[in-house]
Amino acid sequence: DAGVIQSPRHEVTEMGQEVTLRCKPISGHDYLFWYRQTMMRGLELLIYFNNNVPIDDSGMPEDRFSAKMPNASFSTLKIQPSEPRDSAVYFCASSPDRARSGANVLTFGAGSRLTVL
Amino acid sequence: AQSVTQLDSQVPVFEEAPVELRCNYSSSVSVYLFWYVQYPNQGLQLLLKYLSGSTLVKGINGFEAEFNKSQTSFHLRKPSVHISDTAEYFCAVSMIKAAGNKLTFGGGTRVLVKP
């Protein structure tokens, strides 16, 4: 398996622009997570899905952020409009169901580094 | 709710010396415990996990960790580090009986291995 695939790897945009980050989880994984990593706040869970359904979005910072998972092989995280404080590395991760794997081991993508000017 | 504290934000260490990274957690229920490593400009990779059984867990690249329930700790150790171990290390927990696979991460410890 190619692992969790994220795109783009780097994105530089101007304040006010819309940003869309994409993720392809590992085939057969039931859970998909979006994390944000910054120097100040470390790793924060933004939202996670189970079988394409959003389960917990309490970490989404505000209404400018939205995430979708239209099918088992694709998810997007959208920021509209973007602000400089959104600059961070955004990670997508996926995992199989605990009942099958015995524990919730997450596999992470390489991340999307976002810079908002 | 659970929380994870990594007591050292940075740990400089000489090559071939031992290293210990400290992790303490707080949870009102039983948890699974994990250590992940992040090399520069990469995603996180699983180093090792504790689910049950022996409290000493061995992982990849010569790392091991010991679960201490009474002290709510899960410290990571390596007896002899290499330059290639320079990375950031994250401790994480998840509740055993909670639905879903959510992990809570500590703030990370940056390890800098010097020649």
Side-chain angles (χ1 to χ4, degrees):
Chain A
D1 199 313
V4 176
I5 309 290
Q6 290 187 247
S7 64
R9 288 295 312 276
H10 302 273
E11 174 95 3
V12 180
T13 190
E14 293 189 347
M15 183 173 64
Q17 297 298 306
E18 178 179 293
V19 173
T20 299
L21 308 178
R22 298 172 178 79
C23 176
K24 176 179 168 51
I26 291 175
S27 177
H29 279 191
D30 307 280
Y31 287 86
L32 183 140
F33 304 81
W34 283 101
Y35 281 87
R36 179 171 68 175
Q37 185 179 37
T38 60
M39 290 293 292
M40 292 298 294
R41 301 172 71 92
L43 272 164
E44 305 172 277
L45 176 64
L46 300 178
I47 185 172
Y48 77 94
F49 296 82
N50 178 213
N51 294 326
N52 314 338
V53 176
I55 302 300
D56 183 352
D57 66 353
S58 59
M60 296 286 261
E62 47 197 277
D63 292 345
R64 297 184 298 106
F65 285 70
S66 62
K68 294 182 180 179
M69 192 166 185
N71 58 62
S73 59
F74 184 65
S75 176
T76 59
L77 178 68
K78 188 173 291 187
I79 309 172
Q80 166 64 17
S82 59
E83 298 183 2
R85 60 193 167 120
D86 302 330
S87 296
V89 182
Y90 291 82
F91 287 102
C92 176
S94 68
S95 73
D97 188 87
R98 187 183 293 181
R100 289 192 285 117
S101 66
N104 41 322
V105 177
L106 273 62
T107 300
F108 282 78
S112 294
R113 181 176 295 275
L114 173 65
T115 302
V116 183
L117 303 175
Chain B
Q2 64 270 33
S3 65
V4 181
T5 302
Q6 291 183 243
L7 297 163
D8 306 297
S9 59
Q10 293 189 60
V11 173
V13 57
F14 286 105
E15 193 173 17
E16 298 183 7
V19 70
E20 178 179 83
L21 308 184
R22 296 178 292 168
C23 172
N24 287 87
Y25 68 92
S26 172
S27 177
S28 57
V29 298
S30 297
V31 296
Y32 294 133
L33 294 152
F34 305 82
W35 276 97
Y36 280 81
V37 60
Q38 183 180 28
Y39 298 106
N41 299 313
Q42 295 185 29
L44 281 74
Q45 303 173 32
L46 181 68
L47 262 184
L48 49 80
K49 61 183 184 287
Y50 172 77
L51 306 183
S52 64
S54 172
T55 57
L56 184 63
V57 180
K58 293 192 183 297
I60 62 172
N61 300 340
F63 283 93
E64 63 181 31
E66 186 152 22
F67 170 54
N68 187 319
K69 187 173 182 179
S70 62
Q71 297 187 5
T72 60
S73 67
F74 190 52
H75 301 333
L76 181 71
R77 302 184 186 95
K78 185 169 182 177
S80 175
V81 296
H82 302 137
I83 296 288
S84 59
D85 293 322
T86 293
E88 189 159 17
Y89 294 79
F90 292 91
C91 183
V93 303
S94 72
M95 293 188 288
I96 291 177
K97 296 200 175 197
N101 283 3
K102 192 165 68 170
L103 283 184
T104 300
F105 285 90
T109 300
R110 287 187 184 275
V111 172
L112 176 60
V113 181
K114 304 176 182 179

